[in-house]
Amino acid sequence: MGFKIGDRVEVNYSIDDFQGHIGIVKKITTDTELIPGKTAVICYWAFLDKEIAFYESSLDLI
Protein backbone atom coordinates (compact mmCIF):
# COMPACT_ATOMS: atom_id res chain seq x y z
CA MET A 1 0.00 0.00 0.00
CA GLY A 2 2.90 2.32 0.64
CA PHE A 3 1.84 4.55 3.51
CA LYS A 4 4.12 7.40 4.55
CA ILE A 5 4.47 9.49 7.71
CA GLY A 6 1.65 12.04 7.90
CA ASP A 7 -0.86 10.08 5.79
CA ARG A 8 -4.46 10.09 6.96
CA VAL A 9 -5.95 6.61 7.33
CA GLU A 10 -9.00 4.77 8.58
CA VAL A 11 -9.45 1.18 9.74
CA ASN A 12 -11.04 -0.89 6.95
CA TYR A 13 -13.06 -3.24 9.17
CA SER A 14 -15.44 -2.85 12.09
CA ILE A 15 -13.57 -2.70 15.41
CA ASP A 16 -14.66 -1.02 18.64
CA ASP A 17 -15.08 2.74 18.15
CA PHE A 18 -12.66 3.22 15.23
CA GLN A 19 -15.28 3.36 12.45
CA GLY A 20 -15.56 6.90 11.13
CA HIS A 21 -12.38 8.12 12.84
CA ILE A 22 -9.22 9.17 11.06
CA GLY A 23 -5.70 8.34 12.21
CA ILE A 24 -2.44 10.05 11.28
CA VAL A 25 0.52 7.79 10.41
CA LYS A 26 3.38 8.43 12.87
CA LYS A 27 5.70 5.46 12.30
CA ILE A 28 5.99 2.47 9.97
CA THR A 29 7.78 -0.63 11.20
CA THR A 30 8.18 -4.33 10.48
CA ASP A 31 6.68 -6.78 12.97
CA THR A 32 9.25 -9.13 14.47
CA GLU A 33 7.08 -10.92 17.04
CA LEU A 34 3.49 -11.83 16.09
CA ILE A 35 3.81 -12.11 12.30
CA PRO A 36 7.46 -11.56 11.40
CA GLY A 37 7.94 -9.48 8.27
CA LYS A 38 4.44 -7.98 8.23
CA THR A 39 4.29 -4.18 8.12
CA ALA A 40 2.81 -2.43 11.16
CA VAL A 41 1.65 1.18 10.97
CA ILE A 42 1.56 3.24 14.17
CA CYS A 43 -1.08 5.96 13.99
CA TYR A 44 -2.22 8.77 16.27
CA TRP A 45 -5.95 8.63 16.94
CA ALA A 46 -7.21 12.01 18.18
CA PHE A 47 -10.50 10.63 19.53
CA LEU A 48 -8.46 8.48 21.93
CA ASP A 49 -5.49 10.86 22.25
CA LYS A 50 -3.08 7.96 21.81
CA GLU A 51 -1.03 6.03 19.27
CA ILE A 52 -2.19 2.56 18.27
CA ALA A 53 -0.69 0.23 15.67
CA PHE A 54 -2.50 -1.72 12.97
CA TYR A 55 -1.15 -3.94 10.23
CA GLU A 56 -0.86 -2.09 6.93
CA SER A 57 -3.49 -4.36 5.32
CA SER A 58 -6.06 -3.21 7.94
CA LEU A 59 -5.87 0.46 6.94
CA ASP A 60 -7.18 2.50 4.00
CA LEU A 61 -5.66 5.78 2.86
CA ILE A 62 -8.04 8.75 3.09
Side-chain angles (χ1 to χ4, degrees):
M1 288 183 201
F3 294 116
K4 63 184 183 300
I5 305 301
D7 279 349
R8 295 164 44 99
V9 296
E10 65 181 356
V11 179
N12 61 19
Y13 63 94
S14 181
I15 180 172
D16 299 328
D17 296 327
F18 284 86
Q19 290 299 105
H21 292 283
I22 295 172
I24 306 296
V25 175
K26 295 295 184 179
K27 183 177 179 182
I28 301 167
T29 187
T30 301
D31 189 355
T32 58
E33 295 180 22
L34 293 176
I35 304 177
K38 193 153 181 168
T39 301
V41 180
I42 301 168
C43 303
Y44 172 73
W45 300 93
F47 80 104
L48 296 171
D49 193 28
K50 64 171 61 172
E51 292 180 354
I52 298 176
F54 286 91
Y55 286 119
E56 183 178 39
S57 59
S58 297
L59 298 170
D60 288 331
L61 187 62
I62 300 295

